Amino acid sequence: MYRFHPSVRFDSAYPTQQQIKEQIVDVWKRYDLERRTVFETKVKSVKKTKNGQWIINNDEEQYGRFDGILATVGVCGDPKMPPLPSQERFKGQIYHSSELDGKNAKGKKVLIVGGGASAIEALEFAVKNGAAEIDVLSRSDKWIIPRNILVQSLLACNIFGQETSLSWIPEWLLRKFFYRDLQDIAPSDKGIFTGTPMANDELFNQIREGKAHWLRGDIVSVEEKGVMFNYRSKGVPKGGPGHEKLVEGDIIVMATGFKRPSLTFLPDECFDEPYGPPSWYLQVFPPKYPDICANNSTYVDAIGTVGNMHIGIYTRFLLMFLTDPLTRPTEGWMKTWIDFTRFMKRLAPTGAFDFFTYAELIYWYFFVLVVNPFRWKWALFVFFGIGRGLPLRFVEQENSFRRELKKQRKSKKAQ
């Protein structure tokens, strides 16, 4: 996971924060991005000028003008840290799952609050650090799939990216051959194509070996030695009846996810209903602005892997639109495409753009390229990054940006 460049390689599925930072810095230095980077700058607005270019924070003199905008704020912002009832009583440590690097869990009982991808990361941390016992306190059951490229690819072959009358087949196969003796923690009230499943093999191994437990229920209160937990039977809704019992622990890990970063710095027209995010052209282009690409910032749920491939493809779509006006979609066409996708996914239990698979993305890509003959010559560039070079005006803008940064540095030295 967390691959954002073809050269990035990690020795584990969930690398540490330090490993991710080191890879980012390596790529940043390799492409000499320091002279193209302005730090400590909060983007409050992007505004289009009369000549069709963009300015940042209404400050053309400091930042210059730009032909396009890549909004790459992602889907994970600041950590969510909701307070637990009476958590001040707890005698141990409470951490968010993003704070685990460098923490010591050896020989300790670890309580993980949450049941999503962050909980799986916390579980792997606890296992690697030699925790004596691990309890995952989950309010609901989540789909878990093997960390296997073949299985994930087969699941992602759902071209419509939604639950269908045949979805019971992969769900039955997963229960039978992957969950096996642990089918009690497999979801019974929602399909696999309604929320992002977790890819993990280690969890079931740890449960079978008695090193970890997956507990379904609700937190009643935090006590000195752990958490008072209301165990619920399968199918009982959140907050429903159960039986309370103290789950002891030395460390509480809040695997409660992250706040979603805001896209409000974009023009207000980007959020006009019924074409607000994620209901955008190719899910990342606002209908009124084909020169804005909110890459990896509008997704909700999916079956796929985090990687550099689709990020690069979307970015090259943006470059194609910017450099070749004949390829640029009109607002009306973008809205038509969105409406067509809604029609194709009208039976989806989620919104049309709230869940997708990589097979659906491939359908989107080819659909967009095939319908416009002016885009055919760009196909190799869009999919593989070959065949087209940057136009002269991008080079000129790059040189202008360098000169501006030099002026800023000289000004700071003079001060």
Side-chain angles (χ1 to χ4, degrees):
M1 292 183 68
Y2 308 113
R3 291 189 61 230
F4 51 86
H5 189 274
S7 68
V8 173
R9 293 288 184 273
F10 294 116
D11 57 8
S12 64
Y14 292 91
T16 64
Q17 291 178 356
Q18 186 59 35
Q19 288 174 321
I20 297 173
K21 290 177 183 177
E22 289 172 356
Q23 289 286 2
I24 292 173
V25 171
D26 179 69
V27 172
W28 186 68
K29 289 181 177 178
R30 186 185 314 170
Y31 288 94
D32 192 21
L33 296 181
E34 181 175 6
R35 58 190 172 84
R36 300 181 178 93
T37 305
V38 179
F39 288 109
E40 299 179 2
T41 302
K42 183 176 181 179
V43 178
K44 299 177 181 178
S45 68
V46 294
K47 181 180 179 181
K48 204 160 196 177
T49 62
K50 292 182 180 180
N51 68 351
Q53 290 184 303
W54 295 93
I55 57 175
I56 309 297
N57 295 342
N58 287 319
D59 195 338
E60 180 181 345
E61 289 189 9
Q62 182 173 0
Y63 303 113
R65 296 189 177 198
F66 302 91
D67 294 301
I69 299 291
L70 266 170
T72 56
V73 297
V75 296
C76 294
D78 295 331
K80 284 183 183 176
M81 198 72 168
L84 298 175
S86 306
Q87 67 180 41
E88 66 279 359
R89 299 178 187 171
F90 188 56
K91 298 299 184 182
Q93 293 83 38
I94 300 178
Y95 304 117
H96 188 267
S97 59
S98 62
E99 304 173 321
L100 295 179
D101 279 1
K103 300 297 189 293
N104 179 27
K106 187 175 181 62
K108 298 182 179 180
K109 294 181 180 179
V110 178
L111 304 181
I112 301 173
V113 177
S118 296
I120 300 298
E121 287 187 63
L123 174 92
E124 293 191 338
F125 158 82
V127 170
K128 288 181 179 179
N129 280 266
E133 191 173 336
I134 308 165
D135 290 307
V136 181
L137 312 181
S138 177
R139 296 192 68 195
S140 60
D141 300 322
K142 307 288 176 65
W143 277 105
I144 302 170
I145 61 177
R147 192 171 283 165
N148 179 290
I149 190 169
L150 177 61
V151 173
Q152 293 182 31
S153 298
L154 289 172
L155 290 172
C157 280
N158 183 342
I159 194 67
F160 293 109
Q162 65 186 59
E163 286 286 299
T164 69
S165 59
L166 298 177
S167 296
W168 66 270
I169 297 176
E171 294 165 8
W172 181 85
L173 290 172
L174 283 171
R175 288 191 181 97
K176 187 72 174 177
F177 298 104
F178 185 55
Y179 282 84
R180 302 197 306 273
D181 55 318
L182 299 175
Q183 292 188 38
D184 179 65
I185 65 175
S188 59
D189 57 343
K190 59 184 177 181
I192 194 170
F193 298 106
T194 59
T196 301
M198 297 172 288
N200 189 272
D201 296 301
E202 188 66 25
L203 171 64
F204 292 162
N205 293 334
Q206 298 302 323
I207 293 175
R208 291 184 178 111
E209 293 175 11
K211 295 181 180 179
H213 308 93
W214 189 279
L215 311 179
R216 179 195 306 111
D218 308 288
I219 293 176
V220 178
S221 64
V222 177
E223 307 297 332
E224 288 187 6
K225 295 184 178 181
V227 170
M228 186 63 68
F229 194 68
N230 180 48
Y231 291 81
R232 285 186 276 106
S233 299
K234 192 178 185 68
V236 177
K238 298 175 184 178
H243 67 284
E244 297 181 10
K245 185 179 179 181
L246 181 67
V247 184
E248 294 187 358
D250 304 303
I251 296 174
I252 295 177
V253 177
M254 300 293 288
T256 44
F258 300 84
K259 299 175 183 176
R260 194 171 191 107
S262 174
L263 286 168
T264 52
F265 56 86
L266 297 178
D268 291 341
E269 295 86 352
C270 293
F271 306 95
D272 289 346
E273 294 300 338
Y275 302 103
S279 300
W280 284 352
Y281 185 66
L282 294 183
Q283 202 161 338
V284 300
F285 293 96
K288 289 183 180 294
Y289 300 105
D291 45 1
I292 292 178
C293 179
N295 214 338
N296 243 30
S297 304
T298 56
Y299 307 137
V300 180
D301 285 305
I303 289 183
T305 54
V306 178
N308 58 286
M309 294 302 294
H310 71 283
I311 295 173
I313 289 172
Y314 275 134
T315 302
R316 291 191 288 272
F317 265 120
L318 174 65
L319 290 174
M320 178 180 70
F321 296 156
L322 292 177
T323 59
D324 189 348
L326 293 176
T327 68
R328 204 168 297 155
T330 64
E331 178 182 347
W333 171 249
M334 295 168 88
K335 289 181 176 179
T336 298
W337 182 89
I338 295 168
D339 293 337
F340 175 77
T341 303
R342 282 200 181 108
F343 173 78
M344 294 296 293
K345 299 185 68 175
R346 63 192 182 281
L347 301 179
T350 62
F353 293 90
D354 290 352
F355 186 94
F356 68 88
T357 65
Y358 269 23
E360 184 180 3
L361 284 182
I362 293 172
Y363 149 72
W364 290 2
Y365 298 154
F366 278 107
F367 184 89
V368 170
L369 282 172
V370 169
V371 297
N372 188 331
F374 294 109
R375 297 175 188 161
W376 293 353
K377 63 183 179 182
W378 290 87
L380 288 177
F381 173 76
V382 167
F383 288 111
F384 307 108
I386 59 176
R388 307 294 298 188
L390 288 177
L392 179 61
R393 66 192 179 95
F394 275 85
V395 177
E396 292 174 346
Q397 183 171 317
E398 158 73 6
N399 292 332
S400 174
F401 189 51
R402 291 186 198 176
R403 291 192 293 269
E404 183 61 33
L405 285 179
K406 285 182 180 178
K407 287 182 182 178
Q408 291 181 25
R409 291 193 185 105
K410 287 182 181 179
S411 176
K412 288 181 180 178
K413 287 181 179 179
Q415 292 175 0

